[in-house]
């Protein structure tokens, strides 16, 4: 019997044989099957589970991660991605996404895509059905429609209300918000409540994204990152998520990395590529993520007052199945929520604490 023959390999082989995709049969005789691993941002526990289930059935790593993040893109209650995502300053949801397929060394992406719920699927099609890598705006929409995607209104009532509230609290010198006949005299100025809300939004600008990376038992790696981007952004703004090397990078010989958080900072250090290059030189996934976070902090000479205006998070997975993540801040938001990430290691699916550079941002008043 082949020395690589294990019970797990047998089970996987049997499941996938039904689909005509026997993974173990494709392993070189001497290769040990690896333990599959899926890593994601903290909002991705359902994505890691789905991706792992699909890989167990023999799915390709990219098909698995895209199906995983589709759950979050479709969820109206996740206001950082796809349907229900927070809109740009005009109230339009604009989505960014990228995919990378390690074994075939290909990538695809879309940016500022409107009215299509699953930008990660469109990014995958850009990779598969064009000789381009990144389509944006109107062209990306037309490409998606040509491939049969349906145009949908992505703004949920909840996201629209958040956007309206943001717009109404921006200034007392415009006509958004209750008019003169309704406002009391003392409301003509920004109320302390309005001011507080505005300060909170500016200090903790709603951000969010899902990144998902997967390694299968053959050592093949893929990843995707998908987002509605920075809330209330200027229309046309493109973040790190659709930029290969920034919000996502995969090298099948080394590993993969992704990012969430303030995209402008990630782009300035070519975040995901930096993490993968660190791993190529021998850094552990956690150490590589910390190095990327440190470079972000260095761009502000470690000025904590400035750094406290945002957070950024890196996630990494290497060829051996080791994984890690690091954030700029370990505890964020008004309730000091722990920065975490999701991992399915083949046995269990759970949230783990991320490493971090600084414990918590400075309070807005300090
Ligand atoms: N990285 C995303 C962007 O800048 C946003 C986020 O992850 O919160 O578009």
């Amino acid at each position: 019997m082949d020395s690589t023959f294990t019970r797990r390999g047998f089970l996987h082989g049997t499941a996938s044989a039904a689909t005509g995709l026997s993974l173990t049969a494709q392993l070189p005789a001497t290769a040990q099957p690896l333990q599959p691993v899926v890593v994601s941002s903290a909002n991705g526990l359902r994505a890691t589970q789905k991706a792992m289930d699909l890989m167990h059935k023999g799915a390709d790593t990219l098909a698995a991660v895209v199906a995983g993040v589709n759950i979050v893109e479709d969820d109206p209650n996740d206001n950082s991605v796809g349907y229900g995502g927070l809109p740009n300053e005009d109230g339009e949801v604009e989505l960014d996404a990228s995919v990378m397929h390690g074994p075939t060394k290909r990538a695809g992406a879309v940016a500022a895509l409107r009215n299509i719920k699953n930008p990660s699927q469109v990014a995958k099609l850009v990779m598969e059905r064009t000789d381009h890598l990144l389509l944006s705006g109107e062209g990306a929409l037309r490409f998606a429609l040509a491939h049969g995607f349906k145009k949908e209104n992505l703004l949920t009532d909840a996201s629209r209300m958040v956007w309206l509230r943001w717009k109404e609290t921006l200034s007392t010198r415009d006509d958004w918000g209750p008019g003169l006949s309704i406002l009391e005299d003392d409301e003509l100025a920004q109320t302390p409540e309005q001011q507080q809300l505005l300060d909170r939004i500016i200090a903790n600008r709603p951000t969010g994204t899902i990144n998902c990376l997967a390694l299968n038992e053959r050592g093949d790696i893929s990843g995707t990152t998908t987002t509605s981007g920075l809330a209330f952004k200027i229309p046309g703004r493109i973040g790190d998520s659709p930029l290969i090397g920034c919000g996502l990078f995969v090298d099948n010989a080394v590993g993969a990395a992704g990012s969430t958080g303030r995209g402008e900072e990630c782009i300035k250090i070519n975040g995901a590529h930096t993490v993968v290059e660190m791993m190529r030189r021998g850094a552990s996934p956690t150490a590589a993520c910390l190095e990327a976070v440190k470079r972000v902090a260095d761009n502000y000479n470690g000025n904590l007052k400035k750094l406290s205006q945002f957070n950024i998070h890196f996630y990494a997975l290497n060829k051996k199945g080791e994984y890690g993540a690091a954030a700029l801040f370990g505890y964020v938001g008004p309730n000091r929520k722990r920065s975490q990430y999701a991992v399915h290691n083949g046995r269990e699916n759970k949230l783990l604490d991320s490493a971090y550079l600084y414990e918590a941002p400075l309070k807005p008043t300090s």
Side-chain angles (χ1 to χ4, degrees), residues 51-362:
M52 184 58 76
D53 290 347
L54 286 174
M55 289 203 299
H56 278 161
K57 290 183 188 145
D60 171 71
T61 44
L62 184 56
V65 290
V66 168
V69 300
N70 286 167
I71 298 173
V72 182
E73 287 175 336
D74 290 344
D75 182 356
N77 297 318
D78 189 312
N79 63 12
S80 67
V81 183
Y83 180 53
L86 285 173
N88 65 22
E89 66 177 17
D90 289 347
E92 289 263 12
V93 181
E94 280 186 341
L95 305 174
D96 294 341
S98 60
V99 300
M100 267 192 108
H101 188 238
T104 57
K105 304 180 188 344
R106 287 181 302 161
V110 287
L113 174 65
R114 295 182 179 190
N115 298 112
I116 303 288
K117 200 157 57 176
N118 298 116
S120 59
Q121 289 179 13
V122 186
K124 185 165 176 280
L125 271 178
V126 171
M127 180 190 95
E128 290 167 346
R129 309 299 306 171
T130 77
D131 203 18
H132 299 320
L133 196 148
L134 170 62
L135 295 181
S136 71
E138 181 61 25
L141 175 61
R142 277 162 45 187
F143 172 79
L145 295 175
H147 279 276
F149 282 82
K150 272 204 324 274
K151 223 171 162 173
E152 290 175 70
N153 176 14
L154 303 180
L155 196 62
T156 54
D157 278 349
S159 290
R160 192 173 47 75
M161 292 313 291
V162 174
W163 167 70
L164 274 176
R165 193 79 185 101
W166 170 78
K167 221 171 155 50
E168 289 180 0
T169 49
L170 264 188
S171 164
T172 50
R173 277 180 245 137
D174 62 26
D175 298 326
W176 286 87
L180 279 180
S181 51
I182 302 272
L183 284 174
E184 301 295 335
D185 283 0
D186 61 356
E187 285 178 318
L188 287 174
Q190 202 92 274
T191 64
E193 205 188 6
Q194 284 174 320
Q195 194 55 53
Q196 255 179 25
L197 177 71
L198 197 57
D199 286 350
R200 237 196 1 256
I201 288 175
I202 291 169
N204 298 295
R205 188 77 175 274
T207 58
T209 298
I210 179 164
N211 165 245
C212 191
L213 311 167
L215 166 84
N216 70 12
E217 58 181 19
R218 278 188 296 166
D220 285 336
I221 310 169
S222 291
T224 181
T225 302
T226 175
T227 188
S228 51
L230 198 60
F232 323 129
K233 60 193 171 186
I234 297 174
R237 176 264 189 189
I238 291 171
D240 58 322
S241 308
L243 303 183
I244 295 301
C246 299
L248 177 69
F249 194 69
V250 177
D251 184 325
N252 216 45
V254 178
S259 181
T260 63
R262 187 170 150 110
E264 282 73 8
E265 305 307 330
C266 178
I267 295 170
K268 284 194 288 183
I269 64 148
N270 263 222
H273 184 258
T274 295
V275 172
V276 172
E277 288 311 301
M278 291 293 150
M279 294 196 294
R280 191 191 305 279
R281 292 185 202 166
S284 71
T286 306
C289 291
L290 269 173
E291 169 64 24
V293 169
K294 194 174 168 305
R295 289 190 189 188
V296 170
D298 287 348
N299 277 343
Y300 289 89
N301 301 316
N303 180 330
L304 252 189
K305 205 159 184 183
K306 291 189 175 176
L307 292 170
S308 295
Q309 306 304 309
F310 63 87
N311 200 9
I312 189 163
H313 218 132
F314 292 98
Y315 315 90
L317 169 65
N318 71 15
K319 185 83 177 165
K320 291 185 270 182
E322 297 162 338
Y323 45 84
L328 182 60
F329 294 107
Y331 297 83
V332 289
N335 304 323
R336 290 291 186 243
K337 200 165 170 260
R338 186 71 171 87
S339 293
Q340 293 187 305
Y341 67 114
V343 176
H344 198 315
N345 61 12
R347 293 177 298 279
E348 46 179 353
N349 189 32
K350 58 184 175 185
L351 288 176
L352 296 176
D353 290 345
S354 303
Y356 56 83
L357 199 59
Y358 302 109
E359 185 151 324
L362 297 176

